[in-house]
Each structure stands twice: as C-alpha cells, then as structure tokens.
Amino acid sequence: MIRSGTGEPADVFFEDLTPGLVFDLGVTAVDEIEMITFAERFDPQWYHVDGDLAARSPYRGLIASGWFTASLFMRAYVEHLLQRAAADASPGIEELRWLAPVRGGDRLGTRLEVLGRRPSDARPGLGTVTLEGTMSRLDAAGYPEEDVLRLRFRGWFVRRPAR
C-alpha cells in the first residue's frame, strides 16, 4: 500500500495531477489569538504583536506574519490534498508573494492549480508537479475580495504502480 503525505492510504498519484486541474482547499478563518501567538514566537515585529502601535500605523491594526499566512496555506493543502496524495518531499518554492495584509477574523478561501508536471529525472518512480496556490480574503457573502497570498512551488508525487 502506498501512503499519503499523512500516512493514510493514497488515492491521488502523479498521473492524476494534470495541468489545469484546480483544487478547492476550503476556507480558513483567521484566529487573532493564534495569529499573535505565532508572531510572538516566530516573527515578533511590532505590527504583528503590538496592537497599540499597529493601531496608530498605516496598517490601522495588527496584521498577520506572512509566514503565518503561508502556514495556513500549508494546513489547507495537507487537509484537502496531501492527506489523499502519494506525496513525497518538495524540491522547493519558486515564488512566494504576500499581496495584502491578513487580519484576525478574516476568512480566506484557498485554491491550488496544477501548472505542469514531468517524470523526475533525479528520483525514479516519482514525478515533479508544479503547483500554484492562492489565498483570497472572502467578503461577507463568501466571494473572493482580494488575493492575500500566492505561491508557486514543486512537489514530488509517486507514480501510479503498474497493475
């Protein structure tokens, strides 16, 4: 049995990840306490942790660390795809953009698009898939209002075994 990124049996393989395929990775509610706790530990810049200073700044309040936002993306990616996919490690991120501030209470919709794929030259039995992820702030009706994060990265996925 081939396992997914979380150890569960895999049902998504390299061959299933065709260019143009889009995955809805769900909606994430940004918890302000979690956001601040993350920043206090990993990115303690004043606009992430000091509400008084942030309120008097051009940000008009606390904003999330971009690394926190990227972590929210990763969680959605694991929950909605990697827990089903025959995934291996990732050879890296090609682009990461923080496009707009994220705040406590925001609701972020996440999607993932397969941009390309090719069998791996370096890792027999695997394929390299190029992916683009986008997180968008949602309005009160649940429609995308503004993109807040975009990243392009590659992942290694197991090729489907011959039957």
Side-chain angles (χ1 to χ4, degrees):
M1 170 177 28
I2 296 174
R3 301 219 173 262
S4 72
T6 59
E8 298 297 317
D11 65 359
V12 176
F13 292 84
F14 168 77
E15 291 79 7
D16 302 316
L17 301 170
T18 57
L21 183 62
V22 175
F23 293 91
D24 177 352
L25 302 184
V27 175
T28 301
V30 179
D31 181 283
E32 187 171 52
I33 293 170
E34 238 179 38
M35 180 183 94
I36 294 167
T37 300
F38 179 96
E40 287 172 341
R41 178 147 186 224
F42 299 108
D43 191 0
Q45 298 180 76
W46 63 269
Y47 39 83
H48 300 321
V49 297
D50 189 323
D52 292 334
L53 279 177
R56 296 190 307 270
S57 78
Y59 300 114
R60 298 181 324 275
L62 290 173
I63 60 173
S65 164
W67 298 111
F68 176 75
T69 306
S71 296
L72 295 177
F73 171 85
M74 189 66 204
R75 181 61 186 236
Y77 178 42
V78 169
E79 287 182 352
H80 295 275
L81 180 59
L82 291 184
Q83 73 178 2
R84 301 177 29 229
D88 202 274
S90 170
I93 293 177
E94 296 172 0
E95 178 183 32
L96 172 61
R97 299 274 185 223
W98 295 298
L99 304 169
V102 170
R103 301 177 188 282
D106 281 350
R107 293 178 58 247
L108 305 175
T110 305
R111 63 189 292 273
L112 182 74
E113 181 176 354
V114 178
L115 299 179
R117 69 177 188 176
R118 63 179 173 72
S120 175
D121 295 327
R123 307 272 312 265
L126 298 180
T128 302
V129 179
T130 302
L131 302 156
E132 182 174 77
T134 305
M135 293 189 96
S136 304
R137 185 180 355 273
L138 303 178
D139 65 16
Y143 294 103
E145 179 177 72
E146 176 179 31
D147 290 347
V148 299
L149 174 84
R150 185 177 58 246
L151 69 159
R152 189 176 58 249
F153 61 102
R154 291 177 293 136
W156 281 321
F157 292 85
V158 176
R159 302 200 59 192
R160 180 172 268 110
R163 295 180 195 246

